[in-house]
Amino acid sequence: FKLYGDDARAGGTFANTCLMARRLVERGVRFVQVYQRGWDVQGYEVDGALARKLQDRIGVRVLSGAFVGIETGSDSFDAVTMHHVLEHVKNPADYLRAIHDMLRDGGVLFLAVPNIHSLSSRMKLLMEKAGMRRRNVGKYYDTGHHVVYFTPATLRRALVRFGFQPLLQVIEHLLANVG
């Protein structure tokens, strides 16, 4: 409960929900989706036409345009989720700074990026050197569309640099407390 605070003991709180999600991941569940009642959920998509289609289809507000500088107001969000996004942007520092400004005090950033030092990444490199076709290479480690690469240490340094306090890090499906 130390990482999640006293609210984690009370069922139905966001802290308790996160703790339960963590316990599922620790027991091998590969996908966990967390919902919290009463939240004003919003999305983001760079393409305006696709953002409008998503908004109509899923019934939530979807912002569009250049992410850095988008008008959300500071301290707008309790949580921001970026799943395999940061490795595709030219300047992750701008994104992390913008996200930090968007989050309320105590807000949470859920972030996933490929680990360039992972076993999967090393196997991809060996497969490429062996001349295996690119279509047989794992999509998350395909260097053709990643602009920036992270290791657990470089990601942690970047997060700390922009004011985030890392609480939990999952490395190749292993959990590490970093708080």
Side-chain angles (χ1 to χ4, degrees):
F1 293 100
K2 182 177 147 188
L3 290 175
Y4 300 91
D6 291 335
D7 282 352
R9 297 179 192 279
T13 64
F14 184 67
N16 181 264
T17 303
C18 289
L19 179 60
M20 295 302 112
R22 176 185 175 172
R23 288 181 177 163
L24 289 170
V25 172
E26 288 172 337
R27 285 164 179 78
V29 176
R30 294 181 60 124
F31 178 79
V32 177
Q33 190 164 2
V34 176
Y35 290 93
Q36 183 69 20
R37 285 185 220 127
W39 281 27
D40 176 20
V41 178
Q42 298 183 34
Y44 169 79
E45 168 52 45
V46 68
D47 180 291
L50 182 54
R52 286 186 293 283
K53 285 181 185 178
L54 287 168
Q55 189 165 289
D56 292 343
R57 186 170 183 178
I58 62 177
V60 301
R61 182 177 178 214
V62 180
L63 305 169
S64 66
F67 183 80
V68 176
I70 198 164
E71 291 296 323
T72 63
S74 84
D75 301 334
S76 298
F77 299 103
D78 293 306
V80 172
T81 303
M82 293 184 81
H83 185 77
H84 291 275
V85 174
L86 206 57
E87 67 271 17
H88 297 277
V89 301
K90 292 179 183 174
N91 194 343
D94 290 344
Y95 279 67
L96 291 174
R97 191 177 297 111
I99 292 165
H100 190 271
D101 290 345
M102 289 176 190
L103 286 170
R104 292 187 175 114
D105 287 342
V108 179
L109 169 62
F110 295 94
L111 180 66
V113 296
N115 173 5
I116 194 66
H117 285 174
S118 70
L119 178 60
S120 299
S121 184
R122 291 185 302 231
M123 291 302 296
K124 174 202 168 273
L125 181 62
L126 287 173
M127 289 169 40
E128 285 178 352
K129 285 184 177 184
M132 298 182 81
R133 294 180 298 198
R134 289 186 68 85
R135 70 183 172 101
N136 293 332
V137 175
K139 67 179 180 177
Y140 291 120
Y141 300 95
D142 180 7
T143 56
H145 64 277
H146 289 171
V147 179
V148 179
Y149 299 93
F150 294 96
T151 67
T154 60
L155 181 60
R156 179 175 170 69
R157 281 194 300 270
L159 291 170
V160 169
R161 177 179 172 206
F162 292 99
F164 294 97
Q165 177 188 355
L167 298 175
L168 178 68
Q169 192 170 37
V170 178
I171 305 169
E172 290 191 45
H173 307 292
L174 300 175
L175 292 172
N177 283 328
V178 294

